[in-house]
């Protein structure tokens, strides 16, 4: 405006000057003008000119004023339009905006008179918090602020929470801004925000309910997206998957609770403060993602709370502002990793298993390339690993084997090869069909006489799996088996015993012709594999009183109980036609049962005849035994008398005898002693057979026993000019036995050895320990025995050779040793002598042997039967023996004389 006024004044001055110029010029043109001009006239003219200039100036000033007024009017209209737009923008706010001018009157009058901006819906919503009826006539703003002013502001950084009234007062007095929310009595949250702007104080009051109600507007949509964002953030915060966010320097700026749990931190703040990484390698993944500006993945193994866990790490660049440069998540793939590891181990175990089997296995992929083979495959076709390394195809392997002459020789090889490879392409029209089905099994007869069973199957993962089994031996065994079965059938059909095999379910499985003929069964019935119940029903029609035997037969065949499936001994049944049959069963390992039926009609007749003959023989044997016992005891009485009187004569109790008489008496005594020993042997043998001879067992030194026997046998050795040697260790120790009976055994063996050994020969008496037994042997260098004589050497009353006796010596040897639970062994070669060895077990082994024999029925066989017991002479005859003994008997008893050679 100042410039415009200056221009206006300059124009007026120029106008005045222009008005005065003509007058001056007129005055100058007249002679003596200076002197002729009237001062009054000049003054009047000047005044007129000045008036004219003033009028012109006034006109110009009036025009400029009109133009300026018009300009400012336009400016004012523009500013009002802008203000209306600003108010409309503020009115679109879902809350209220209260604006106070900075004036003193407003500060002193309570809430003052702020300008109200915002929508009517927001005002109505906020006024609903004022429920005081006394303030019904109060201004709406005062009612609203009175209702909210007493509430304390939350989310404030102040040490002590202040009310909204105090916050507004500090804002208006000192310009202290604030932001937060207040919670009403009914639990609703109101957002408040106070600011100083352009010398004015603005208070923003927002009701979230109103904001949420404006879903159709742009701001409502924005709020909805913000709500979704906050919901997603809350969901991510509670997610069990560790998540985090980094800034541009790759520092952690946010992590969720799952992240803190994995790193075992107290809270997320400690993780951010200490920059605790899941693993140091994750930063490299983040750096690569930031450098490439695309997502990057990796794998990390983390030990958390004592557990080894595997995570898949994903770092992704974020396009947000601020510190949202990178975001990452850690997906727990421990189960998948374990499953992969288990699958890998399973595959390796399967491959190791396949390498151990004898079936050759090869797997080809969908491209017909070899992807796996086991050791049996390579050995079957005698291929090197170099031949199967690299990318080898199925067709190439077939061509290579054909060139080597190891494949069958078909008439059309190309057609045969195409058939072998057809499984890769045939039947694959439907999706997934490549994982189903297979080709029929084949049998290949190779040029080297081998036979292979070939199985082809589509692999579940694509391709084909082939299995080659060498069945050459199987085919050969099958042929042999069939031959054997045919031989067995022919053998069974030629048996006179009826045989039937029943399966585990009781059905007839196999039978021979004798079974069908024996029971007169129909061929159609037995060929229909009938059950055992059907067979028994037919058998019962031919028998009488055989229900128990058939019930036992049924249980043994059809029952699954162990106690029923026991061998069934031969049970006799009678048929209605008079025949007698024996039934028996035998369980088989495969669960089947073999039943055998034998016609014993003739056997029963023969048995009856044999029983009658046996009774006659037993009676004769009983009479013989009775005779022998009676004669033996009857002979001892006169023999004792003869020996007694002969000893009296030999002692010259009735006078002196000449030499010839002495010789006769000596011969009589020798013959009497020999006869007495024979009678004693017969009595001992009869007592042993009757089971009435008991041993007097006691601890006996083995070496002393042998030396004692050798001492009494030395005279016999001198008479026969045979040397006697004792071979026994000094520390052989003791054993429990009847020394009297064992001496008798040794005397008998030594007598035989001296009798069969010529002059100059040698007899050895020895003993040694063998395990839990003591072996005593007598070895001579005589003429030996033939195998025939050895077989009968221990039989009673069996003797061979010119120097043989009654045949009782070795029989008594064997029986005395058996009474000690021992055994006797003879070894002889003709011309090389004889060795007789007696084995006598220790007491512990003897008791164990007795205990083992108790359950067996054989132990009872040793006890005398009633018939045998009758053979034994009654003990009441023993006093007669004692009465018949003389002084010679008593003197001869301690030193048992050697028996005559047997």
């Amino acid at each position: 405006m100042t410039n415009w006024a200056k221009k206006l004044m300059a124009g007026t001055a120029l106008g005045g000057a222009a008005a005065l110029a003509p007058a001056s010029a007129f005055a100058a043109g007249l002679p003596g003008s200076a002197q002729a001009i009237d001062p009054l006239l000049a003054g009047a003219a000047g005044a007129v000119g000045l008036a004219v200039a003033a009028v012109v100036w006034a006109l110009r000033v009036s025009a400029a004023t009109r133009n300026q007024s018009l300009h400012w009017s336009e400016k004012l209209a523009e500013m009002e339009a802008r203000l209306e737009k600003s108010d409309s923008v503020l009115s679109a706010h879902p809350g209220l905006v209260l604006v106070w001018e900075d004036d003193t009157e407003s500060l002193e009058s309570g809430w003052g008179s702020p300008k109200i901006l915002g929508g009517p819906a927001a005002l109505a919503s906020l006024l609903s918090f004022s429920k005081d009826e006394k303030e019904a006539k109060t201004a709406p703003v005062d009612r609203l602020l009175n209702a909210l002013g007493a509430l304390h502001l939350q989310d404030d950084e102040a040490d002590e929470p202040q009310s909204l009234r105090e916050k507004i007062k500090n804002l208006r007095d000192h310009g202290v801004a604030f932001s937060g929310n207040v919670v009403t009595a009914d639990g609703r949250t109101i957002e408040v925000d106070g600011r100083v702007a352009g010398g004015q104080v603005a208070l923003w009051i927002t009701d979230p309910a109103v904001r949420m109600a404006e879903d159709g507007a742009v701001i409502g949509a924005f709020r909805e997206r913000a709500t979704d964002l906050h919901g997603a953030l809350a969901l991510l915060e509670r997610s069990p998957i560790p998540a985090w966010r980094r800034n541009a320097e790759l520092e952690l700026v946010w992590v969720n609770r799952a992240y803190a749990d994995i790193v075992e931190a107290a809270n997320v703040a400690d993780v951010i403060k200490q920059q605790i990484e899941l693993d140091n390698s994750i930063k490299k993944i983040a750096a690569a993602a930031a450098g490439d500006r695309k997502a990057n993945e990796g794998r990390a193994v983390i030990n958390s709370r004592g557990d080894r866990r595997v995570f898949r790490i994903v770092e992704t660049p974020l396009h947000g502002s601020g510190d949202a440069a990178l975001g990452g998540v850690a997906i727990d793939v421990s189960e998948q990793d374990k499953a992969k590891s288990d699958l890998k181990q399973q595959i390796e175990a399967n491959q190791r298993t396949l390498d151990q089997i004898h079936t050759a296995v090869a797997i080809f992929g969908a491209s017909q390339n070899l992807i796996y083979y086991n050791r049996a495959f390579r050995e079957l076709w005698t291929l090197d690993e170099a031949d199967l390394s690299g990318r080898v195809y199925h067709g190439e392997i077939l061509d290579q084997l054909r060139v080597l002459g190891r494949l069958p020789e078909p008439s059309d090889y190309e057609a045969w090869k195409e058939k072998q490879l057809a499984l890769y392409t045939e039947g694959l029209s439907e999706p997934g069909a490549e994982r189903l089905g297979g080709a029929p099994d084949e049998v290949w007869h190779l040029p080297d006489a081998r036979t292979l069973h070939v199985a082809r199957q589509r692999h579940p993962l694509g391709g084909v799996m082939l299995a080659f089994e060498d069945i050459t031996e199987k085919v050969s065994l099958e042929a042999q088996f069939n031959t054997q079965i045919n031989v067995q059938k022919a053998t069974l059909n030629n048996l006179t015993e009826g045989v039937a095999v029943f399966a585990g379910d009781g059905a007839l499985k196999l039978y021979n012709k004798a079974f069908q003929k024996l029971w007169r069964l129909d061929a159609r019935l037995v060929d229909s594999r009938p059950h055992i119940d059907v067979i028994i029903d037919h058998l019962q029609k031919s028998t009488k009183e055989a229900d128990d035997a058939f019930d036992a037969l049924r249980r043994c065949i059809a029952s699954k109980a162990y106690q029923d499936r026991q061998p069934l001994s031969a049970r006799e049944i009678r048929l209605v036609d008079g025949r007698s049959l024996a039934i028996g069963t035998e369980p088989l390992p495969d669960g089947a049962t073999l039943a055998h039926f034998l016609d014993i009609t003739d056997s029963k007749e023969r048995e009856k005849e044999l029983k009658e003959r046996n009774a006659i023989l037993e009676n004769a044997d009983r009479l013989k035994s009775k005779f022998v016992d009676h004669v033996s005891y009857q002979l001892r009485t006169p023999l004792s008398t003869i020996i007694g009187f002969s000893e009296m004569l030999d002692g010259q109790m009735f006078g002196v005898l000449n030499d010839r008489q002495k010789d006769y008496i000596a011969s009589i005594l020798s013959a009497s002693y020999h006869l007495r020993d024979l009678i004693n042997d017969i009595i001992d043998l009869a007592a042993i057979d009757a089971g009435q001879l008991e041993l007097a067992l006691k601890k006996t030194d083995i070496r002393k026993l042998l030396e004692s026997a050798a001492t009494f046998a030395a005279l016999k050795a001198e008479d026969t000019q045979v040397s006697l040697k004792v071979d026994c260790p000094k520390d052989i120790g003791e054993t429990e036995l009847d020394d009297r009976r064992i001496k008798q055994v040794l005397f008998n063996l030594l007598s035989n050895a001296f009798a069969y050994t010529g002059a100059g020969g040698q007899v050895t008496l020895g003993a040694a320990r063998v395990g839990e037994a003591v072996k005593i042997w007598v070895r001579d260098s005589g003429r030996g025995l033939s195998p025939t004589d050895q077989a009968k050497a221990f039989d009673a009353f069996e003797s061979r050779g010119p120097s043989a006796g009654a045949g009782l010596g070795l029989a008594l040897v064997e029986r005395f040793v058996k009474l000690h639970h021992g055994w006797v062994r003879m070894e002889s070669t003709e011309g090389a002598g004889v060795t007789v060895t007696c084995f006598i077990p220790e007491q512990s082994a003897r008791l164990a042997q007795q205990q083992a024999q108790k359950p067996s029925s054989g132990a009872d066989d040793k006890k005398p039967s009633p018939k045998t017991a009758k053979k034994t002479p009654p003990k009441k005859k023993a006093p007669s023996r004692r009465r018949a003994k003389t002084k010679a008997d008593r003197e001869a008893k301690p030193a048992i004389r050697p028996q005559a050679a047997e």
Side-chain angles (χ1 to χ4, degrees), residues 698-703 705 733-739:
K698 65 178 181 179
K699 289 289 186 179
T700 304
D701 187 280
I702 305 300
R703 183 174 178 84
L705 178 66
E734 297 179 345
T735 188
E736 193 167 0
L737 48 78
D738 188 339
D739 58 345

Side-chain angles (χ1 to χ4, degrees), residues 372-386:
Y372 172 76
Y373 63 91
N374 64 349
R375 182 177 59 185
F377 178 82
R378 182 167 49 85
E379 294 176 353
L380 176 67
W381 302 110
T382 61
L383 296 173
D384 297 333
E385 293 185 1

Side-chain angles (χ1 to χ4, degrees), residues 851-881:
Q851 189 69 21
Q853 291 178 352
K854 280 185 179 180
S856 64
S857 60
D860 298 335
D861 297 339
K862 295 183 179 180
K863 297 180 180 180
S865 61
K867 298 180 180 179
T868 310
K870 293 179 181 179
K871 300 179 184 179
T872 306
K875 291 186 177 181
K876 62 183 181 180
K877 294 184 179 181
S880 64
R881 295 175 58 191

Side-chain angles (χ1 to χ4, degrees), residues 108 113 133 218 302 399 403 417 476 588 620 684 866:
E108 295 177 355
S113 301
E133 297 179 355
V218 177
I302 301 171
D399 294 339
V403 172
K417 177 182 176 181
S476 176
L588 300 179
D684 290 340

Side-chain angles (χ1 to χ4, degrees), residues 843-853:
Q843 180 68 13
S844 58
R846 197 178 306 161
L847 293 176
Q849 185 178 359
Q850 290 177 352
Q851 189 69 21
Q853 291 178 352

Side-chain angles (χ1 to χ4, degrees), residues 756-899:
Y756 288 95
T757 304
Q762 183 180 7
V763 175
T764 303
L765 174 62
R769 289 189 177 272
V770 180
E772 295 184 355
V774 176
K775 70 172 183 177
I776 302 174
W777 70 88
V778 175
R779 182 184 300 113
D780 64 64
S781 59
R783 62 176 181 269
L785 295 176
S786 65
T788 303
D789 294 338
Q790 292 181 42
K792 299 180 180 181
F794 294 98
D795 294 342
F797 304 106
E798 289 288 340
S799 58
R800 294 289 187 274
S803 58
L808 295 176
L810 291 179
L812 284 174
V813 167
E814 183 182 33
R815 283 164 174 75
F816 284 144
V817 173
K818 282 185 177 181
L819 285 176
H820 287 80
H821 300 281
W823 64 96
V824 181
R825 180 183 301 167
M826 175 182 285
E827 298 176 2
S828 177
T829 304
E830 290 189 77
V834 178
T835 301
V836 179
T837 307
C838 301
F839 293 88
I840 302 175
E842 296 285 352
Q843 180 68 13
S844 58
R846 197 178 306 161
L847 293 176
Q849 185 178 359
Q850 290 177 352
Q851 189 69 21
Q853 291 178 352
K854 280 185 179 180
S856 64
S857 60
D860 298 335
D861 297 339
K862 295 183 179 180
K863 297 180 180 180
S865 61
K867 298 180 180 179
T868 310
K870 293 179 181 179
K871 300 179 184 179
T872 306
K875 291 186 177 181
K876 62 183 181 180
K877 294 184 179 181
S880 64
R881 295 175 58 191
R882 288 194 295 269
R883 287 193 301 268
K885 291 183 180 180
T886 61
K887 179 181 177 182
D889 294 332
R890 291 191 298 270
E891 292 177 354
K893 181 178 179 180
I896 301 176
R897 297 176 61 83
Q899 303 294 320

Side-chain angles (χ1 to χ4, degrees), residues 187 288 437 707:
E707 290 177 348

